[in-house]
Amino acid sequence: MSTHASEHTGDGRGEGRGEGTLIVVAKAPVPGRVKTRLTPHFTPQQAAALARASLQDTLDAVLATPARRRVLYLDGAPKHWLPDGIEVVPQCSGGLDVRLAAAFALYEGPSLLIGMDTPQVTPELLAQGLDFDGTDARFGPALDGGFWALGLAEPDPALLLGVPMSVSDTGTVQRLRLTASGRAVRDLPALRDVDTPDDAVQVAASAPGTRFAALHAELCAAVR
């Protein structure tokens, strides 16, 4: 896999401000390919716009977090929504467990992997996820049974291979995989992923200052 499909470092925010690598796993916000569970409540175009807002909010938090490097591990092509200071790496093929494992193989040293579905995430939470003082792993459970963040002081891709993804016990199985390896694990706060219209309502309410919340309010007002 290429490690630098493209690189944006125009404002220098991605350089030399901390230890560890932040990796955001995302799909390009293309109508019909992202957030399909938000339809038919929203049109495919509106669902994609919400996905883009969620991704941009996530990348804002990433850019504000001290880190050695900041990476977007992307399925699709970056467009104008990509800010400066983010490296872009194309996702490999295979199941989600294979792709997440490959993300942890990209770089050496402490890494924190997050998704694009939690626009409410903050720099403080991400910094906590990159703090491995006294622990080997950080685990951020999602309220749907998955996980929104996984951090490893010493990345080992094998820890993700074979974990069943996108099912109700994904998070439980992944966390057990970590502890069974002998690693000490500290949990991050549980967050809600944006998957359904109800999720979108609750996440927007919990993060009123985000692009996601503003767009969600605009779209909901338009259909009243």
Side-chain angles (χ1 to χ4, degrees):
M1 179 192 305
S2 169
T3 57
H4 297 285
S6 84
E7 187 168 344
H8 296 247
T9 56
D11 62 3
R13 287 180 292 177
E15 300 291 335
R17 285 183 48 206
E19 296 300 322
T21 298
L22 274 168
I23 304 172
V24 180
V25 180
K27 281 185 178 181
V30 176
R33 292 199 67 237
V34 294
K35 295 295 157 211
T36 55
R37 292 171 64 188
L38 292 180
T39 57
H41 190 87
F42 298 101
T43 68
Q45 290 74 23
Q46 290 171 333
L50 287 167
R52 182 177 65 247
S54 179
L55 177 55
Q56 289 177 303
D57 287 328
T58 302
L59 294 177
D60 282 348
V62 165
L63 285 168
T65 305
R68 183 174 66 242
R69 62 199 318 161
R70 301 167 180 87
V71 179
L72 178 61
Y73 186 51
L74 184 65
D75 176 3
K79 298 281 178 83
H80 61 277
W81 43 261
L82 181 69
D84 289 340
I86 302 290
E87 300 175 34
V88 179
V89 178
Q91 288 188 26
C92 68
S93 59
L96 183 55
D97 63 319
V98 172
R99 287 180 280 134
L100 296 186
F104 274 113
L106 289 171
Y107 307 105
E108 296 180 352
S111 296
L112 179 68
L113 186 79
I114 65 170
M116 62 178 282
D117 302 327
T118 51
Q120 71 272 44
V121 73
T122 64
E124 292 75 21
L125 274 178
L126 297 180
Q128 186 179 350
L130 277 173
D131 180 5
F132 296 102
D133 186 22
T135 193
D136 303 309
R138 288 285 191 172
F139 186 78
L143 295 180
D144 64 359
F147 59 92
W148 68 269
L150 177 61
L152 296 171
E154 296 181 5
D156 180 357
L159 290 170
L160 293 101
L161 293 174
V163 172
M165 296 289 168
S166 303
V167 294
S168 61
D169 62 347
T170 292
T172 298
V173 174
Q174 183 62 77
R175 197 182 188 288
L176 285 172
R177 181 73 71 86
L178 298 173
T179 56
S181 72
R183 287 168 171 79
V185 181
R186 287 188 181 174
D187 289 333
L188 298 166
L191 295 183
R192 180 181 296 277
D193 284 338
V194 176
D195 290 320
T196 67
D198 183 61
D199 292 332
V201 169
Q202 296 192 55
V203 169
S206 71
T210 59
R211 289 184 177 89
F212 181 86
L215 178 60
H216 184 266
E218 177 185 328
L219 294 177
C220 290
V223 298
R224 289 185 185 133

